[in-house]
Amino acid sequence: MSASAQDFRPDIEGLRALAVAGVIAFHFGLTALPGGFAGVDIFFVISGYLITRHLVAEISDTGRLDLLRFYARRARRLLPAALFVIAATLAAGAIILSPEEQALYSKGAMFASAYMINLWLIRWSFDYFANDATSNPFIHYWSLSVEEQFYLAWPALLMLAWWMKPGKRAIVIAVGAVGLVSFVLCAWLTSVSQPWAFYLSPLRAWEFAAGGLASMVPARLLQERLLLGRALSLAGLTMIGVAYLTFSEDAPFPGFLALLPVAGTVLLLKAGAAGARDGTPHSHNSGRNWVKAALALPPLQWIGKLSYSLYLWHWPVIVYAGMLAPELTPAERLSCLALTLALAAISYHLIENPIRRNGWLMANAARALVPALLLTGTGVAAAYGNARLAVDNLDAEQRVIAASAAEPSTARAKAGCVQDYETVTPRPCVFGDGHRVIALFGDSHADHWSTPLIEAGRKNGYRVVTWLKNSCRASRISVWSSELKRPYAECDRWREQAIAGIIRAKPALVVISELALTSGRKMAGRAGDTDSQDADWRAGLRSTLTSLSQAGLKVAFIRDVPFNNANVDTCVARALWRNETPSRCDQTRAYAANDTMAAAERDIVDSIPNAAYVDLTDRFCSATICHVFIDGKLAFRDQHHMATPFAESLEPEMEERVISKVGR
């Protein structure tokens, strides 16, 4: 039997199947497994385990590493399939995506081809108005980028440790030290700046290190302790199951939570290694451990074998399907799964496996590395060329759509006037030089009214002072921040200071607007404890209005704009690209307008002295339909923020329905 056959671990193949199944279930919307994204962490631990075991064995036997041979093996294994899927995704995108999207996502393909897309995504994550990441067909390459960056650094770390003091003990200390530092930084940054902790490879190194340490723990410690091995297997599987069943997108991940799937994977790897005696293939004794036997079942072995190709294909399939049919039925999702399996099997048998096993490429490291470098360069160049071609395809209508979506509001265009998540001290910004003052107070849904309000104020002798903060309602309601992955305490502190500052300033009118609670639920994709939330919101809105009213201030509360089920700019751009009318992106009023909540909101505002409710929904909606393209203008820049050129057209309404409240 060959060495590779003796080294084969059916339990590891089964673990790969569990990992990719979790990721696919999560991305395909299986709500029963909300933590399936932790499957990526399982992959990281497995990679750390296998690569460290291989490298340490080579260093121990020869005192050196054949790095060219190591990288050639990685290149044969990973590059061809990855670049083929990138090329196929770009080709499909030329039909499905608008030119603006093609230009943007081709940049993602460029970074993915160079295994650096995780760094690009860090920057993207801090842009409040960045295109929705779930529409990026290449975003899943972030984990492959992290893994490739690990492959570049890890051999050097192991060789350095061996060079300083030959022996496995020095390697264990080095791996343990790197893992500990990485984990501490990761746990800290998860609560401070989650995108860095999630995407940056040094902050994920501890997961690879956990697998590496597990590979160096002697299997003989469990060799004769079969009951202990079974207990560890069951505990490991339970940990992964708990992570899959209880984690969610809102969790502060990776941080401390990632310890659960990482520890579970380590336990399964060690328990799986303990079932074989010297010279005996691991699979012979798998029956002694039912968890290990289950992982060796043929369906899991088949999925594990295809796991890399499945991971590559599943995301572009579900992303493009969602673009073509935004409300996918269960049957359509199953069809997407079948297509993913078919594409994975084809690419595995025609590309991935033949190239990995090619005798000519295996004979010499240079034979694999030179084509790999050429392939990588070709992938980067092709993605860049596709981005340039897409820009050239932008006709006049497409350019207007792109420019409308990109133009910031008057307040946001002035640096620091719409404050970020971490800021707790308000920074009011002044627009105009009138003697009387209007205060604009709220979140980004107050901000998008700044453009017409500031212009209306200027015409009527008012200066507008803005008190604005991202995702922070004027209503006194504490919320969870999906961006910070924790309670949004900064908002509560900022709001109280802003209310106090507005009262001290004594403006002639306070204008308030905010994201509707029902729109927030639609964004989150779940209802939550609606009764409790509604009660908190009613009390919070009444409290804010009462504080301002009792201070003798007049308040105009502008009803929130309609909510759309997709980014309007991309929907309209795709429609024009396919020679369809923008009206295909319109929404039913029943879905978009939040009429029931607005009625409750109006009742609260009308019950407060000096407060008036301003409803401009008639500028967006008829009795049955809410429009996204109005009077030749794009009405929204995304799902729920007005496009600035359209907002400008509402200046007369601001003058007639808002400024008029001052003289009431």
Side-chain angles (χ1 to χ4, degrees):
M1 183 177 293
S2 67
S4 60
Q6 291 218 18
D7 287 340
F8 177 70
R9 291 269 301 272
D11 61 305
I12 292 180
E13 202 81 310
L15 259 178
R16 288 193 178 106
L18 286 184
V20 78
V23 173
I24 292 175
F26 173 70
H27 286 154
F28 276 45
L30 183 61
T31 56
L33 291 177
F37 56 83
V40 170
D41 302 85
I42 297 174
F43 278 126
F44 287 166
V45 177
I46 293 173
S47 292
Y49 182 89
L50 294 175
I51 295 301
T52 305
R53 184 179 67 173
H54 168 78
L55 293 175
V56 169
E58 184 176 346
I59 293 172
S60 299
D61 291 342
T62 66
R64 58 183 294 275
L65 283 177
D66 188 340
L67 291 178
L68 291 180
R69 185 164 167 266
F70 170 76
Y71 290 125
R73 192 162 50 241
R74 294 293 88 206
R76 293 197 314 269
R77 171 76 175 88
L78 300 174
L79 274 177
L83 292 171
F84 177 75
V85 174
I86 287 173
T89 304
L90 284 172
I95 301 170
I96 297 170
L97 301 171
S98 71
E100 181 76 8
E101 291 177 290
Q102 292 175 45
L104 174 65
Y105 297 140
S106 291
K107 294 178 184 176
M110 187 170 64
F111 282 96
S113 298
Y115 289 99
M116 293 191 297
I117 195 172
N118 59 322
L119 304 178
W120 185 58
L121 290 170
I122 289 174
R123 193 187 121 208
W124 192 353
S125 297
F126 289 103
D127 184 352
Y128 184 80
F129 281 115
N131 282 5
D132 188 355
T134 58
S135 298
N136 182 345
F138 302 102
I139 194 173
H140 63 312
Y141 275 78
W142 76 268
S143 63
L144 303 180
S145 297
V146 168
E147 198 155 328
E148 282 297 317
Q149 290 157 23
F150 160 74
Y151 294 146
L152 287 174
W154 207 244
L157 171 69
L158 301 186
M159 275 303 301
L160 179 62
W162 182 274
W163 176 76
M164 292 178 68
K165 186 175 177 62
K168 287 186 180 180
R169 183 177 180 182
I171 294 178
V172 169
I173 292 172
V175 171
V178 167
L180 180 61
V181 171
S182 171
F183 174 74
V184 169
L185 290 174
C186 179
W188 171 65
L189 269 173
T190 297
S191 62
V192 174
S193 186
Q194 191 259 355
W196 284 95
F198 193 90
Y199 288 123
L200 196 62
S201 51
L203 302 184
R204 290 296 193 123
W206 67 273
E207 301 184 40
F208 297 96
L213 290 173
S215 73
M216 292 183 280
V217 175
R220 65 177 180 272
L221 296 178
L222 295 174
Q223 202 72 61
E224 302 299 331
R225 299 175 176 85
L226 299 181
L227 286 177
L228 178 59
R230 291 174 187 148
L232 293 180
S233 290
L234 185 59
L237 188 62
T238 300
M239 288 179 179
I240 292 173
V242 169
Y244 278 10
L245 292 169
T246 64
F247 287 3
S248 73
E249 288 181 276
D250 289 336
F253 196 86
F256 287 99
L257 287 179
L259 283 171
L260 194 63
V262 167
T265 306
V266 166
L267 292 181
L268 282 168
L269 287 170
K270 286 316 301 175
R277 299 178 185 277
D278 293 341
T280 304
H282 294 282
S283 58
H284 286 188
N285 290 315
S286 61
R288 296 181 180 179
N289 182 322
W290 74 265
V291 173
K292 186 176 176 182
L295 291 174
L297 290 172
L300 289 182
Q301 294 297 293
W302 183 71
I303 294 172
K305 181 174 64 176
L306 297 179
S307 59
Y308 180 55
S309 288
L310 284 169
Y311 184 82
L312 291 174
W313 281 112
H314 84 281
W315 184 243
V317 166
I318 197 64
V319 165
Y320 284 159
M323 291 177 179
L324 296 172
E327 300 297 329
L328 291 172
T329 65
E332 288 169 338
R333 291 181 186 275
L334 283 175
S335 298
C336 290
L337 178 60
L339 177 60
T340 299
L341 288 168
L343 290 171
I346 291 169
S347 63
Y348 175 81
H349 289 292
L350 297 184
I351 298 172
E352 181 185 341
N353 211 39
I355 293 177
R356 180 174 52 168
R357 304 296 185 194
N358 183 276
W360 186 84
L361 292 174
M362 294 172 66
N364 186 294
R367 291 182 183 180
L369 288 175
V370 171
L373 291 173
L374 291 175
L375 270 177
T376 299
T378 301
V380 171
Y384 177 79
N386 196 68
R388 298 303 307 167
L389 182 63
V391 170
D392 292 340
N393 283 333
L394 281 172
D395 59 21
E397 284 186 307
Q398 295 280 353
R399 292 182 189 279
V400 168
I401 297 300
S404 296
E407 185 176 340
S409 68
T410 303
R412 193 172 290 275
K414 190 173 179 179
C417 290
V418 183
Q419 295 180 277
D420 60 24
Y421 294 97
E422 289 81 9
T423 301
V424 296
T425 303
R427 180 196 166 186
C429 289
V430 180
F431 297 86
D433 54 6
H435 295 296
R436 295 176 294 177
V437 175
I438 293 175
L440 177 62
F441 174 36
D443 55 17
S444 60
H445 282 234
D447 162 54
H448 62 195
W449 293 109
S450 66
T451 300
L453 181 63
I454 289 168
E455 179 59 21
R458 184 189 64 78
K459 288 182 178 180
N460 289 272
Y462 291 93
R463 67 181 184 273
V464 173
V465 181
T466 61
W467 306 71
L468 303 168
K469 180 174 170 66
N470 281 332
S471 300
C472 187
R473 291 182 178 90
S475 299
R476 283 177 165 131
I477 177 172
S478 297
V479 297
W480 175 274
S481 171
S482 58
E483 287 77 15
L484 298 174
K485 307 297 182 185
R486 57 177 171 78
Y488 196 7
E490 292 90 341
C491 174
D492 295 335
R493 294 165 61 190
W494 178 91
R495 184 193 300 115
E496 292 310 310
Q497 294 181 66
I499 291 173
I502 292 170
I503 290 173
R504 285 194 302 270
K506 297 187 179 349
L509 178 69
V510 182
V511 178
I512 293 175
S513 193
E514 60 186 22
L515 176 70
L517 196 63
T518 47
S519 294
R521 289 180 187 138
K522 291 170 186 172
M523 289 169 60
R526 59 187 182 280
D529 185 359
T530 55
D531 290 340
S532 174
Q533 285 181 346
D534 286 351
D536 290 344
W537 163 72
R538 287 190 180 94
L541 175 58
R542 187 178 298 277
S543 175
T544 295
L545 295 176
T546 299
S547 292
L548 297 171
S549 176
Q550 289 179 348
L553 301 179
K554 293 181 178 180
V555 180
F557 189 100
I558 304 178
R559 176 180 174 176
D560 193 20
V561 298
F563 183 88
N564 302 279
N565 68 355
N567 283 345
V568 170
D569 59 325
T570 56
C571 183
V572 171
R574 287 177 200 157
L576 295 173
W577 178 242
R578 300 170 195 162
N579 295 317
E580 299 172 335
T581 64
S583 61
R584 74 175 296 275
C585 304
D586 290 346
Q587 306 290 311
T588 63
R589 179 166 181 140
Y591 173 82
N594 302 311
D595 283 328
T596 301
M597 180 184 173
E601 195 172 59
R602 180 189 292 273
D603 289 342
I604 294 170
V605 175
D606 288 347
S607 71
I608 304 296
N610 298 321
Y613 195 70
V614 179
D615 190 346
L616 298 175
T617 307
D618 58 338
R619 288 291 279 114
F620 299 87
C621 306
S622 67
T624 56
I625 299 294
C626 292
H627 304 285
V628 299
F629 206 72
I630 303 168
D631 297 333
K633 294 181 182 293
L634 183 74
F636 299 90
R637 64 179 303 154
D638 50 26
Q639 283 185 281
H640 50 90
H641 293 98
M642 276 192 295
T644 297
F646 176 74
E648 289 174 350
S649 72
L650 298 180
E651 184 271 327
E653 280 81 358
M654 285 290 100
E655 192 168 355
E656 177 186 347
R657 304 198 204 181
V658 177
I659 301 289
S660 62
K661 305 302 179 186
V662 178
R664 224 169 18 112

